[in-house]
Amino acid sequence: MNQERVKELLQEALQENESLYLIDLQFLAENKIKVIVDGDSGVPLSECIRISRNIEHNLDREEEDFSLEVTTPDIAQPLTVKRQYKKNINRILKVKTATEEFEGTLTEVTENTITLFWKAREPKPIGKGKHTVEKTKTLAYQDIKEAKVKIIF
C-alpha cells in the first residue's frame, strides 16, 4: 500500500473544504485504510463520500486491493485535535489532568488553553449550610490527559 499517495489524496480532498480537518489516518491489517475527519460545524455524509471517492478513484485496485472507511469521530471518544475544542464551546466537558478531574461548560478556547465554568455547592464561610459558587478553571492543552464531551439525553 502506497501510504504517501493515500496521504496526498486525503490532503487534496480536505483542501476542497477548509472547515474539515483530519483526526486520524490508520493503515490497518489486510490493506484496510481508516480515515477519521471532523469539521468546524460537523461533517455531512456527502463530504465523507466525496473524500472516500477522491481517494478510492485515484488508487488502482488492480495493483493492490484495499478497503477504505471514511468516518467522523465517535462522540464517546476523547477530543484529540485543538479544533475539536472550538466546535464544542458551550458544551459540557469532562477533563482529566494528571492529578484532577473537572466537569464544566467549555466557555473559551485559545491557542494554548481552554476554560471551563461550573457551579458548585460549598459550605458557607460563616454558619451552617451550603451556598452555590461559580467556578472557572483554565487548563493548558499539555496538562489535559483526556477530554470528552458529556452526552446529555
Side-chain angles (χ1 to χ4, degrees):
M1 173 64 54
N2 186 345
Q3 294 181 6
E4 288 306 312
R5 180 69 179 137
V6 173
K7 290 176 186 176
E8 287 172 18
L9 293 168
L10 176 57
Q11 280 307 109
E12 285 175 13
L14 290 174
Q15 286 173 354
E16 289 181 32
N17 183 342
E18 303 227 344
S19 73
L20 300 180
Y21 49 94
L22 180 66
I23 299 296
D24 196 16
L25 171 61
Q26 300 172 357
F27 295 95
L28 305 170
E30 300 176 11
N31 285 343
K32 181 174 180 175
I33 304 166
K34 184 172 183 179
V35 178
I36 303 174
V37 295
D38 205 348
D40 295 327
S41 56
V43 182
L45 179 59
S46 60
E47 285 297 291
C48 289
I49 293 168
R50 183 184 62 76
I51 292 167
S52 177
R53 286 183 179 157
N54 192 66
I55 295 170
E56 194 171 345
H57 289 236
N58 289 296
L59 293 176
D60 188 359
R61 283 195 186 270
E62 298 294 321
E63 283 182 28
E64 204 159 16
D65 195 27
F66 62 91
S67 67
L68 174 64
E69 178 184 359
V70 178
T71 185
T72 57
D74 182 343
I75 189 72
Q77 293 299 312
L79 304 180
T80 57
V81 177
K82 285 183 185 181
R83 281 176 76 174
Q84 286 181 295
Y85 288 92
K86 287 181 183 173
K87 96 177 225 179
N88 285 296
I89 288 177
N90 295 324
R91 288 197 172 136
I92 297 172
L93 293 188
K94 289 183 177 182
V95 179
K96 293 179 184 177
T97 67
T99 58
E100 298 177 279
E101 289 187 27
F102 302 95
E103 184 175 309
T105 302
L106 180 62
T107 57
E108 184 180 12
V109 176
T110 68
E111 188 63 34
N112 301 311
T113 64
I114 65 167
T115 302
L116 298 175
F117 168 83
W118 70 96
K119 292 182 180 180
R121 298 283 292 163
E122 292 186 349
K124 290 181 178 178
I126 299 173
K128 294 182 179 181
K130 293 186 175 188
H131 68 291
T132 302
V133 294
E134 294 183 349
K135 297 191 165 227
T136 61
K137 179 71 176 180
T138 300
L139 299 163
Y141 289 113
Q142 72 249 20
D143 296 337
I144 298 171
K145 300 297 179 209
E146 180 180 87
K148 289 185 176 182
V149 175
K150 184 174 180 182
I151 303 166
I152 299 173
F153 295 99

